[in-house]
Amino acid sequence: MRETVTVDLPGRAYEVRIGPGLIRHAGAEIAPLLKRPRVAIITDETVAALHLGTLRDGLAAAGVASDALSLPPGEATKSWGPLEQCVDWLLEAQVERGDVVVAFGGGVIGDLVGFAAAILRRGVRFVQIPTSLLAQVDSSVGGKTGINAAQGKNLIGAFHQPSLVLADTEVLGTLTPRDFLAGYGEVVKYGLLGDAEFFGWLERQGPALAAGDQAARIEAVHRSVQMKADIVTRDETEQGDRALLNLGHTFGHALEAATGYSDRLLHGEGVAVGCALAFELSARMGLCSQEDPSRVRAHLKDMGMKTDLTDIPGDLPGPDALMDLMAQDKKVVQGQLRFILARGIGEAFITSDVPRDMVRRVLADGLEV
Ligand code: GLY
């Protein structure tokens, strides 16, 4: 079973192939892109221990030689030091302008390696092989690459589209349930932002999907990637519609910052809690019905996910401090914070017209202060 989505950007169109066994057959998938039969793989130590042997064997089976660099796992790897290490290693490995670099891992590796490929010799091609659900449905598609700065996340980077994405749904079986569900937060986001029917399907299929149903996993990744591809094709550099993909992220990023980007709250968990808050705010502003936030929360709870601010372990700062963190978001335009709100499930829109008091009230009520 295999699905393919095309990201149809003029002159840079590429396929996202979704299904089981793509890593084992990576050689056959990637070989047609190559000018000479060799690739440079950058991964992290966790993914390397589980899957690097399979990938290299899969490449070798099609006569493709590979070099590999493994970096420490975790968000700290998305920074200047590891970027320099990647670029130096790629130069040492004599990766040429016509070669292909493979980013093999979750969102951290995809963003870092994509950026290294963007700046190496003024740009070499790269293939994304995302190994987390979050990376398969979001970060590996659409060409956002980069690293974090001391001043905030993702502040240094470039748009650099991959030449191919191989989303092997079999590897999702090696994720911890927590990591899987964090990625599922981004899947729910797609239903909430633009497809009520998909959200209904997730309400019905979510438990089977989390339990390991392959067909349901493929369908969920396929539908998510198709929505992302459509949005990216319309608005590659986020002048408009692409910001819809940030549903739940304005609240989510503030919560991630408040918890020190630690294990207390994973990115996808922050997005899920953020989506629930965005619907609550939308309902209070009279934009959607009161049933909508209840339905969002009920599904997250059904899936055993963090849903409310009180589900985040440890103390959180008060509503004013959270509002200050939101104001540092990089989506601030001319001092105005942009929110993604909703007129209903599947009907998100972008607005700067949000009363401060109302945001504060939603946070204060959620924090039970
Ligand atoms: N993750 C949001 C985007 O790719 O635009």
Side-chain angles (χ1 to χ4, degrees):
M1 199 172 358
R2 164 87 72 90
E3 299 288 354
T4 300
V5 172
T6 301
V7 182
D8 208 2
L9 290 164
R12 283 157 306 136
Y14 58 94
E15 288 189 351
V16 183
R17 299 179 192 150
I18 301 153
L22 286 162
I23 294 176
R24 269 184 278 124
H25 299 118
E29 304 290 332
I30 295 174
L33 297 176
L34 304 179
K35 297 201 167 111
R36 55 176 178 158
R38 82 174 260 221
V39 293
I41 304 164
I42 302 181
T43 185
D44 73 33
E45 286 152 10
T46 308
V47 173
L50 290 166
H51 307 297
L52 184 58
T54 311
L55 174 60
R56 295 186 78 170
D57 289 350
L59 290 163
V64 179
S66 58
D67 292 315
L69 171 69
S70 298
L71 299 168
E75 192 71 27
T77 292
K78 236 176 92 171
S79 55
W80 287 115
L83 176 69
E84 188 179 2
Q85 193 184 345
C86 285
V87 172
D88 280 347
W89 180 79
L90 291 167
L91 291 171
E92 293 285 321
Q94 296 177 331
V95 171
E96 296 175 2
R97 195 79 194 273
D99 287 337
V100 165
V101 176
V102 175
F104 185 42
V108 166
I109 287 293
D111 286 9
L112 171 77
V113 178
F115 189 38
I119 59 176
L120 185 79
R121 301 187 194 279
R122 298 203 174 89
V124 301
R125 292 172 302 153
F126 79 116
V127 170
Q128 290 269 21
I129 307 186
T131 56
S132 67
L133 179 57
L134 186 129
Q136 292 193 354
V137 297
D138 184 30
S139 56
S140 68
V141 180
K144 280 190 181 173
T145 72
I147 58 172
N148 300 327
Q151 291 82 351
K153 280 186 79 168
N154 297 327
L155 294 182
I156 302 151
F159 286 98
H160 185 49
Q161 298 292 341
S163 300
L164 175 67
V165 182
L166 299 176
D168 186 335
T169 47
E170 230 165 57
V171 292
L172 302 177
T174 58
L175 296 175
T176 63
R178 186 178 177 197
D179 281 329
F180 185 88
L181 286 179
Y184 184 77
E186 296 276 3
V187 175
V188 171
K189 177 194 80 177
Y190 287 105
L192 294 178
L193 79 87
D195 189 344
E197 195 276 318
F198 182 42
F199 183 74
W201 182 87
L202 291 171
E203 286 179 314
R204 295 187 299 279
Q205 299 296 325
L209 201 148
D213 182 322
Q214 272 297 318
R217 286 181 173 192
I218 294 167
E219 173 81 358
V221 175
H222 178 208
R223 291 181 75 160
S224 301
V225 169
Q226 185 66 61
M227 277 183 72
K228 178 144 189 185
D230 291 345
I231 291 173
V232 168
T233 305
R234 286 206 299 278
D235 176 24
E236 182 183 10
T237 57
E238 201 167 311
Q239 307 303 310
D241 269 12
R242 186 164 179 165
L244 292 171
L245 296 170
N246 295 324
L247 175 64
H249 284 62
T250 306
F251 286 110
H253 281 156
L255 294 169
E256 278 185 273
T259 48
Y261 303 102
S262 70
D263 202 39
R264 279 172 65 198
L265 187 73
L266 304 178
H267 173 72
E269 293 175 333
V271 170
V273 174
C275 284
L277 289 168
F279 269 81
E280 181 59 35
L281 179 57
S282 302
R284 292 203 195 183
M285 288 175 67
L287 294 164
C288 68
S289 82
Q290 193 52 58
E291 281 80 64
D292 289 334
S294 305
R295 199 172 150 201
V296 174
R297 292 178 63 254
H299 180 53
L300 299 178
K301 283 202 178 297
D302 239 23
M303 295 296 290
M305 296 167 70
K306 291 189 177 68
T307 306
D308 299 320
L309 291 173
T310 47
D311 294 334
I312 300 169
D315 291 334
L316 286 175
D320 294 308
L322 284 178
M323 303 248 327
D324 287 346
L325 289 170
M326 287 167 89
Q328 279 164 26
D329 197 281
K330 73 174 174 314
K331 292 180 291 299
V332 172
V333 179
Q334 289 163 10
Q336 282 267 30
L337 192 58
R338 280 187 306 165
F339 277 87
I340 317 302
L341 298 180
R343 296 192 178 89
I345 287 177
E347 294 175 62
F349 67 102
I350 305 159
T351 177
S352 301
D353 189 14
V354 179
R356 226 188 117 77
D357 303 356
M358 211 155 307
V359 181
R360 194 188 177 287
R361 203 58 267 148
V362 166
L363 289 168
D365 290 350
L367 290 163
E368 299 177 354
V369 293

